[in-house]
Amino acid sequence: MSTFLRSAITAVCDYRAELGETPVWCQRSQSLLWMDILNQRLLRYWPDTQAFEQRALPALCSAALLTENAETFLLVAENGLSLYDYQSEHAELLCGYPGEAGTRPNEAAIAPDGSLWFGTMDRQEEAKTGAWYRFEMGDELPVVMMDKVGIPNTLAWYEGKVWFADSMQNRFYSGNARRINPLKISCFSSGDKTPDGSTLSEDGLLLTACWGSHCLLRQQINQGELLTLDTLLLPVVQPSCCTFGGADMRQLFITSARKGLADPGDIDGALLQVNTATRGAGQHLFRLSASH
């Protein structure tokens, strides 16, 4: 076991996702939310009681993100952006889906300024028809920041920059933390690893799930550079994303997928958990009031 990991890696509950993605830790409720994108399920787990719930959603949805209101989550879905009241299961549509025909939403996160950033991708994972968007309350539609994107993944803000990835290109990028300008971004290769979703520690450690490689990639962000440290082996073939959580923000939760596996193992598609030696940076909240 590495010095970074402080426990065995274990599977959480019996649910196995076709495409588990976008884990989000809610500090207010001490629970984890994540998606099974292809099965249109919102999943939720409370570690203290080991309670688990799943909700069927009316459309394919890639993320349920935190807002300023407890138990009201922002859904990023193929039919648009909605505010979802967890108790009543009522969804209030904010705007329609802005992506090109044949695409779906993928990566999504809330920025430090309370705006939503999300990416879209070709459903067939072939064409570079995806894009990165930004949306805040008061906008009629999400604003395109960057087009001609393959498979958008990873969103992490640190040292005044945003870090993001394109799984189709095997590349990480960094740009201005307030808005991506495609003409002013830096590019970093991920080598032979395919970067999927990532999470960030308080001290700038970027942890990235590597699709198809049974591992997490550990990299340190330092003054605009991305230094690769090592990889952490996982008991699943297709880890898809990760996030820190728990009362002390030292637990790491990792989503995975069974999609496309001819002979998936018992825990492929499971949510994994492990204790670590560092603290996560935590989640930002979507602003519910217009800033303009």
Side-chain angles (χ1 to χ4, degrees):
M1 188 182 302
S2 77
T3 56
F4 175 74
L5 300 181
R6 294 296 176 87
S7 72
I9 300 171
T10 58
V12 169
C13 70
D14 295 328
Y15 188 91
R16 301 293 182 261
E18 188 69 10
L19 181 55
E21 269 286 8
T22 328
V24 172
W25 177 255
C26 179
Q27 195 71 11
R28 293 174 294 202
S29 61
Q30 292 291 293
S31 68
L32 186 87
L33 298 102
W34 75 108
M35 310 304 301
D36 185 349
I37 294 178
L38 298 182
N39 283 325
Q40 297 180 196
R41 291 288 190 274
L42 168 60
L43 311 171
R44 195 171 188 182
Y45 173 68
W46 289 261
D48 286 349
T49 61
Q50 297 186 7
F52 170 75
E53 292 182 1
Q54 58 174 299
R55 297 274 178 87
L57 297 173
L60 180 148
C61 182
S62 69
L65 305 174
L66 307 183
T67 74
E68 292 176 323
N69 288 355
E71 299 304 296
T72 297
F73 303 106
L74 180 62
L75 298 185
V76 181
E78 63 183 353
N79 63 347
L81 309 178
S82 301
L83 292 176
Y84 178 80
D85 182 86
Y86 193 83
Q87 184 173 3
S88 68
E89 301 187 45
H90 173 72
E92 174 193 351
L93 187 67
L94 297 178
C95 70
Y97 175 72
E100 288 190 25
T103 67
R104 69 163 178 83
N106 199 47
E107 182 68 66
I110 306 302
D113 65 1
S115 63
L116 165 69
W117 291 33
F118 68 99
T120 61
M121 58 175 280
D122 175 27
R123 288 175 181 267
Q124 304 304 317
E125 302 180 17
E126 295 172 355
K128 295 179 186 176
T129 52
W132 283 108
Y133 294 87
R134 182 184 183 274
F135 176 83
E136 59 181 308
M137 289 295 276
D139 290 344
E140 290 187 18
L141 285 171
V143 177
V144 179
M145 297 186 287
M146 182 175 176
D147 61 5
K148 297 180 174 59
V149 174
I151 301 177
N153 271 306
T154 293
L155 275 175
W157 288 264
Y158 192 69
E159 293 180 340
K161 292 183 179 293
V162 63
W163 294 81
F164 56 104
D166 189 331
S167 304
M168 193 179 286
Q169 302 296 316
N170 278 17
R171 287 177 181 170
F172 290 98
Y173 304 90
S174 68
N176 186 286
R178 293 192 62 81
R179 203 172 298 248
I180 297 171
N181 179 345
L183 301 178
K184 296 182 179 180
I185 57 176
S186 299
C187 177
F188 305 83
S189 172
S190 63
D192 63 348
K193 301 292 188 294
T194 299
D196 205 317
S198 301
T199 193
L200 189 69
S201 73
E202 283 184 333
D203 56 359
L205 180 70
L206 186 70
L207 290 167
T208 303
C210 297
W211 183 266
S213 294
H214 299 262
C215 72
L216 295 178
L217 179 63
R218 281 205 323 149
Q219 296 170 297
Q220 182 67 47
I221 301 172
N222 185 20
Q223 298 182 345
E225 294 300 320
L226 195 58
L227 175 66
T228 296
L229 303 178
D230 56 23
T231 55
L232 304 172
L233 291 178
L234 298 173
V236 292
V237 178
Q238 296 176 157
S240 53
C241 196
C242 54
T243 196
F244 285 99
D248 61 359
M249 292 298 290
R250 291 182 182 274
Q251 271 187 298
L252 187 67
F253 295 96
I254 306 157
T255 54
S256 67
R258 298 171 75 83
K259 168 195 167 193
L261 294 178
D263 186 22
D266 289 342
I267 63 172
D268 282 308
L271 175 71
L272 306 177
Q273 65 180 358
V274 62
N275 297 329
T276 76
T278 192
R279 286 174 56 89
Q283 306 282 344
H284 303 293
L285 306 179
F286 180 68
R287 279 174 52 100
L288 294 172
S289 57
S291 62
H292 50 75

